[in-house]
Amino acid sequence: MSDDPSTLSSTPPDTLTVTRRTVVAGLGAVGAAATLSRPAAAQTATDAPAELVTVTLKVNGNPKTLTLDPRTSLLDALREHLGLTGTKKTCNQGACGACTVHVDGVRINSCLALAVMHDGQAITTVEGLARGSELHPVQAAFIEHDGFQCGYCTPGQIMSAVSVIKEGHAGTDAEIREWMSGNLCRCGCYNGILAAVKGARDAGV
């Protein structure tokens, strides 16, 4: 095959000459034709706004009523609509645990939950653990045992640690590591985190 224009001009009319240029041009024309032939409804269906829904969440003891796109995650409802940015948005795939919150006392990854799924339920975020200026014992233990470096994963770590102790899964170092394994720390502060969980456990949390 050749892209030389002189070669193309000397080719007999009844002979098919295929060049890289003609193939690319042909594919472009086919694609354009396919796009133009799509029904208008098919082209705009995914762009259509969803009908908004009303959701009431009891967040850190206070009822909050929100009007949301039904596709809004619980994480985005907390961060973007209620300004509770202590709950972190990191992987947004349920893999790192930075967005851990408690729903009716049970820890979940809020990035994997839709806000509408928890209408009427009690949500606790890291902002709801302290009592005024008095830190929750797990928060205090993380400070005492230097369980953080950059601190980005710390809210999720603390929320999971509270649950691990409450669930009775803080008996041994191995058990704590296993039940905290859903929370990742890129700074590698696992020794401090382990010490903090044990410290809070021994303090009778």
Side-chain angles (χ1 to χ4, degrees), residues 10-27:
S10 62
T11 303
D14 59 347
T15 302
L16 178 63
T17 301
V18 180
T19 69
R20 183 172 59 242
R21 186 176 301 157
T22 56
V23 169
V24 171
L27 289 175

Side-chain angles (χ1 to χ4, degrees), residues 5 27 33 38 45 48 54-56 69 74 77 80 88-89 91 99 106 114 118 121 125 127-128 147 151 166 169 186:
L27 289 175
R38 290 175 58 199
T54 299
V55 179
T56 299
D69 184 309
L74 178 58
E80 308 301 332
K88 300 306 181 186
K89 187 171 188 175
C91 71
C99 67
V106 178
L114 297 176
H118 300 290
Q121 293 184 295
T125 70
E127 292 93 342
K166 179 182 176 182
H169 297 306
R186 293 184 179 182

Side-chain angles (χ1 to χ4, degrees), residues 88-128:
K88 300 306 181 186
K89 187 171 188 175
T90 307
C91 71
N92 210 33
Q93 297 177 346
C96 72
C99 67
T100 302
V101 299
H102 299 166
V103 177
D104 285 346
V106 178
R107 59 175 168 158
I108 69 165
N109 291 324
S110 59
C111 70
L112 296 182
L114 297 176
V116 296
M117 296 168 57
H118 300 290
D119 187 27
Q121 293 184 295
I123 314 296
T124 303
T125 70
V126 71
E127 292 93 342

Side-chain angles (χ1 to χ4, degrees), residues 57-62 64 66 74-89 98-101 110 123-128 155:
L57 306 172
K58 189 176 182 181
V59 182
N60 298 328
N62 300 309
K64 302 290 184 180
L66 302 171
L74 178 58
L75 173 59
D76 284 341
L78 294 171
R79 287 182 57 84
E80 308 301 332
H81 295 267
L82 294 177
L84 296 171
T85 55
T87 305
K88 300 306 181 186
K89 187 171 188 175
C99 67
T100 302
V101 299
S110 59
I123 314 296
T124 303
T125 70
V126 71
E127 292 93 342

Side-chain angles (χ1 to χ4, degrees), residues 60 102 124-131 134-136 138-139 158-159 162:
N60 298 328
H102 299 166
T124 303
T125 70
V126 71
E127 292 93 342
L129 290 182
R131 293 294 176 261
E134 181 183 354
L135 294 178
H136 187 281
V138 174
Q139 292 174 307
I158 288 173
M159 298 303 289
V162 170

